[in-house]
Amino acid sequence: MAGRSEGISRFRDRIVLGVCVLLSLWAVSLDEPRRVEVGTRLAHHILSPLEWSTHFLTALGRLKVENEILRGRLAALELDAREIETQRRRLEELNERAGFYERNRGRLMPATVLELVVSRIPIQAKIRTYGGDSLKVWQAVVTERGLVGRISRVLGEDEALVELLTEADTRISIETGSAGVTGVLRYDGRHFWMDQVPQGDPVRVDDPLVTSGLGGTVPRGIPVGRVLQVEPNEIELFQRIEVEPAVAFSAISQVYVITRPGPWYSRPGDTMTPPREEGP
């Protein structure tokens, strides 16, 4: 078998050699101009694919480099777009806070949240004010979205601890913004509830909930949240009302201390009048 393959290989080599000899004799038989013309054509047909391949590989390498450069520029543009979006949201947040601060009467003292005391979620916050009125226990603390809690302890001239609405012992009197049905806001560690609402009182899903002002520590009309669901039960004396809070307590960073009460929020259907100029 090996001998046969070797024989075939020798036969093939002889054929190739014979073809080359015949081509050489044929080329020698041609006159000089004809030989040059034929040689040029052969060289063109043989070298053209090689030249094309070389140009193709060079262009491919250049495209690869350009592609990497464009990828880098695209990544930079994506980072710039994210930064612009972050700044846009920050600007909207600042505009919202500024509008909130300007449209309310009474007096609000801005403060920064220095730290949050966290159990399962934040239950207490340490704040520092920017100066102004003196801090007192039970002063209400709010954001532009609604009530955060009340000052539970004054630590110094410009620092205090705030008991958040998520503290288990916190009870705030609230009412529905539509019918004025009153109840008590309570947090059980997982959900907010509106307690002490008798069966039959008109409470509907999506009703806005605001502070009622009862108890005297929190001004009336500050948003607390909305009614998430109502579970009437004819056997029980009171309705079971779940509340969605207005404030994301894990994300609070800037707050306001209410140092002088006023009509902070207009009730549905009311018209807010411009603030009066007040003396010092």
Side-chain angles (χ1 to χ4, degrees):
M1 191 72 178
R4 183 178 179 183
S5 299
E6 185 178 350
I8 293 174
S9 178
R10 288 178 181 177
F11 179 72
R12 183 178 56 198
D13 292 342
R14 289 173 182 175
I15 290 176
V16 173
L17 180 60
V19 170
C20 291
V21 170
L22 290 175
L23 288 174
S24 299
L25 292 175
W26 175 73
V28 170
S29 66
L30 298 174
D31 55 8
E32 186 67 23
R34 182 63 175 166
R35 283 202 303 270
V36 173
E37 181 183 355
V38 172
T40 302
R41 289 182 178 179
L42 288 174
H44 175 73
H45 287 299
I46 293 172
L47 296 178
S48 290
L50 294 178
E51 292 178 357
W52 182 85
S53 300
T54 302
H55 288 308
F56 175 76
L57 293 176
T58 303
L60 187 63
R62 185 167 56 251
L63 287 175
K64 184 177 181 181
V65 173
E66 292 177 354
N67 186 50
E68 292 301 324
I69 294 174
L70 292 175
R71 284 179 180 271
R73 291 178 180 175
L74 179 60
L77 289 174
E78 288 179 348
L79 291 175
D80 288 344
R82 291 178 184 176
E83 177 64 20
I84 291 172
E85 178 63 19
T86 300
Q87 294 300 330
R88 184 188 66 80
R89 292 178 181 175
R90 177 62 176 167
L91 182 59
E92 289 180 352
E93 182 180 353
L94 291 175
N95 286 336
E96 186 176 6
R97 289 176 180 171
F100 162 78
Y101 186 81
E102 292 173 356
R103 75 173 180 261
N104 291 302
R105 289 180 286 175
R107 180 167 294 178
L108 299 174
M109 185 160 56
T112 298
V113 176
L114 300 178
E115 61 181 278
L116 292 171
V117 178
V118 179
S119 176
R120 183 174 175 272
I121 63 172
I123 59 175
Q124 196 176 68
K126 182 179 180 181
I127 64 171
R128 175 179 294 158
T129 64
Y130 301 133
D133 294 339
S134 59
L135 297 173
K136 299 177 182 177
V137 174
W138 299 124
Q139 284 177 330
V141 179
V142 300
T143 70
E144 63 277 9
R145 299 188 181 280
L147 183 65
V148 170
R150 295 175 295 186
I151 290 179
S152 60
R153 181 181 175 188
V154 177
L155 302 178
E157 184 177 345
D158 60 353
E159 290 189 0
L161 291 179
V162 178
E163 178 187 86
L164 303 181
L165 297 183
T166 50
E167 173 63 52
D169 294 331
T170 299
R171 297 290 187 274
I172 299 291
S173 179
I174 61 176
E175 65 181 5
T176 60
S178 57
V181 175
T182 60
V184 176
L185 183 69
R186 173 180 61 87
Y187 184 69
D188 66 2
R190 295 181 62 87
H191 304 284
F192 282 93
W193 302 94
M194 183 179 184
D195 291 341
Q196 307 299 317
V197 178
Q199 297 288 346
D201 282 3
V203 178
R204 298 185 299 271
V205 172
D206 288 332
D207 269 351
L209 298 172
V210 297
T211 54
S212 68
L214 298 177
T217 60
V218 179
R220 184 180 186 183
I222 300 176
V224 172
R226 70 180 184 91
V227 175
L228 187 61
Q229 62 176 343
V230 181
E231 301 177 5
N233 190 330
E234 296 179 357
I235 301 177
E236 300 292 336
L237 182 62
F238 299 108
Q239 300 182 54
R240 182 175 171 84
I241 304 170
E242 187 176 354
V243 175
E244 180 181 38
V247 174
F249 293 93
S250 298
I252 55 174
S253 58
Q254 299 292 326
V255 296
Y256 301 91
V257 180
I258 299 178
T259 60
R260 183 179 299 177
W264 299 93
Y265 293 86
S266 60
R267 293 170 56 83
D270 291 348
T271 301
M272 179 167 286
T273 57
R276 296 177 302 172
E277 294 292 334
E278 300 185 29

